[in-house]
Amino acid sequence: MKSNSEIKNIATAVLTEEAAALSQLTARIDDGFAAVVQAIIRLKGRVVLTGIGKSAIIAQKIVATLNSTGTPAIFMHAADAIHGDLGMIQSDDLVIAISKSGNTPEIKVLVPLLKQTGNQLVAMVGNADSYLAQQAAFVLDTTVEKEACPHNLAPTTSTTAQLAMGDALAIALLECRSFSDRDFARFHPGGVLGKRLYLKVADLAEQNSKPSVMPDTPVKEVIVAITRHRLGAVAVVAGNRLAGIVTDGDIRRMLEKYSHIDQLTAGQIMSQSPKTVRRDELAVNAFELMRRHNITQLLVVNDDQVYDGIVHLHDLLREGII
């Protein structure tokens, strides 16, 4: 059994080797890469990614990244393609075939069939002299010197290079399309990433009550209001204008400062100039404001700075924003 120190050294060596391989990959971002991006931008159809073995798994991840960043893509397993799945390819599609060697039997069978359909073929390949590279219209070179596997067998560094090249392609396309955070949210409406990009303060505040008292409200009623609404605070409002806030902390400080509280009012113990957030602000920005000021709630105001509710840290936790 290896020691903890030896295990850590092995892991460090793997990461160092793969990082070096990715660094070398930057030299292969050439006019050919740019030509692939331009071809996809002009594409009327979809990007079809195919591969065999571990390359097929990488292809599926690249498909997911492309779809989520504005480039329609599908996956076709190279082995299944020659047994009927080739029919999923449409005339306007572009095909990216991923292979380390570029010489696997499935690829050699598939490539002539793809060329018969007239689809543009891109080779993401670790051997620029391979059959696949020679037959493709474009080549994305993901050559690595060796695998991180000590036997130079298990796909490790090579699949990392493929994945990184796919990410470079997806982000280049994203930038060329001016794909915005709002576009990203449209494709991720149910996940945490999407919520961070579209969930507004108003969406959270509307689920809560709008506790408020007047400046001359007796302290006892203030405490009852804070307890009843369970938001840790109550707004102090004069007319419809925000005058201050009374929080749980303000109540504790009042008890430390005053021996008799019967005659005190909300206006005497409130914190003036409370931290507020507009109702149309993103919820994630409300969290950043809470974190910056080390508080757990914000008073919500509308465009006219009129009190419109409370958003609490627990609301953000419930929605998975943090």
Side-chain angles (χ1 to χ4, degrees):
M1 180 67 181
K2 293 188 180 298
S3 67
N4 287 351
S5 177
E6 290 173 315
I7 291 171
K8 289 188 288 185
N9 287 340
I10 293 169
T12 300
V14 170
L15 296 178
T16 300
E17 188 167 330
E18 293 198 352
L22 292 185
S23 179
Q24 294 170 9
L25 205 62
T26 59
R28 303 193 184 98
I29 302 298
D30 52 14
D31 288 342
F33 178 91
V36 173
V37 173
Q38 297 287 4
I40 295 175
I41 290 292
R42 294 191 298 268
L43 201 61
K44 295 181 180 179
R46 307 155 302 174
V47 178
V48 180
L49 281 102
T50 188
I52 196 80
K54 304 299 187 297
S55 294
I57 297 172
I58 298 300
Q60 292 178 69
K61 191 277 177 185
I62 296 174
V63 163
T65 302
L66 289 173
N67 279 322
S68 69
T69 52
T71 299
I74 61 170
F75 170 71
M76 178 184 68
H77 198 282
D80 293 335
I82 58 179
H83 294 285
D85 280 4
L86 196 61
M88 73 171 62
I89 300 179
Q90 300 173 1
S91 59
D92 291 330
D93 292 341
L94 174 146
V95 179
I96 300 178
I98 305 178
S99 174
K100 178 187 176 183
S101 71
N103 292 313
T104 57
E106 293 84 359
I107 291 294
K108 286 189 172 182
V109 173
L110 179 60
V111 166
L113 299 175
L114 292 173
K115 299 194 76 172
Q116 286 178 16
T117 63
N119 295 94
Q120 295 184 84
L121 177 61
V122 178
M124 185 183 293
V125 66
N127 179 1
D129 297 321
S130 65
Y131 173 79
L132 176 58
Q134 292 172 357
Q135 295 297 315
F138 308 98
V139 175
L140 299 175
D141 189 353
T142 54
T143 301
V144 297
E145 292 183 4
K146 63 182 292 293
E147 301 288 3
C149 166
H151 308 298
N152 197 27
L153 294 174
T156 46
T157 308
S158 62
T159 48
T160 299
Q162 292 168 352
L163 187 61
M165 184 65 78
D167 286 342
L169 184 64
I171 300 306
L173 289 164
L174 177 152
E175 294 275 3
C176 288
R177 297 185 195 279
S178 299
F179 191 84
S180 69
D181 55 357
R182 292 186 179 276
D183 295 319
F184 192 86
R186 284 195 299 112
F187 295 139
H188 299 75
V192 171
L193 290 176
K195 284 186 177 181
R196 291 175 69 89
L197 293 168
Y198 75 79
L199 193 67
K200 299 291 185 67
V201 165
D203 299 324
L204 300 177
E206 287 170 1
Q207 300 176 38
N208 295 330
S209 55
K210 294 169 56 176
S212 66
V213 296
M214 294 182 292
D216 60 355
T217 300
V219 161
K220 181 178 179 180
E221 293 182 28
V222 173
I223 296 173
V224 170
I226 294 175
T227 303
R228 180 188 305 124
H229 294 283
R230 304 177 67 180
L231 291 169
V234 62
V236 182
V237 178
N240 64 351
R241 293 291 174 178
L242 191 61
I245 188 173
V246 179
T247 67
D248 287 335
D250 291 321
I251 297 298
R252 288 193 295 271
R253 284 185 286 274
M254 175 198 69
L255 293 174
E256 291 176 353
K257 184 176 181 179
Y258 298 98
S259 300
H260 303 286
I261 65 173
D262 292 346
Q263 303 303 315
L264 292 176
T265 64
Q268 292 174 289
I269 66 169
M270 70 181 184
S271 298
Q272 298 183 15
S273 302
K275 297 296 182 292
T276 63
V277 62
R278 289 166 57 96
R279 60 179 285 106
D280 59 354
E281 187 63 76
L282 288 174
V284 67
N285 293 339
F287 166 67
E288 288 301 322
L289 190 58
M290 290 183 194
R291 184 185 60 79
R292 192 182 316 134
H293 295 285
N294 195 29
I295 56 179
T296 58
Q297 64 276 113
L298 291 167
L299 298 184
V300 182
V301 294
N302 63 19
D303 292 338
D304 297 322
Q305 294 296 303
V306 174
Y307 172 60
D308 200 29
I310 293 181
V311 61
H312 195 280
L313 184 65
H314 291 164
D315 301 324
L316 301 169
L317 285 168
R318 183 181 64 247
E319 295 294 338
I321 298 297
I322 54 176

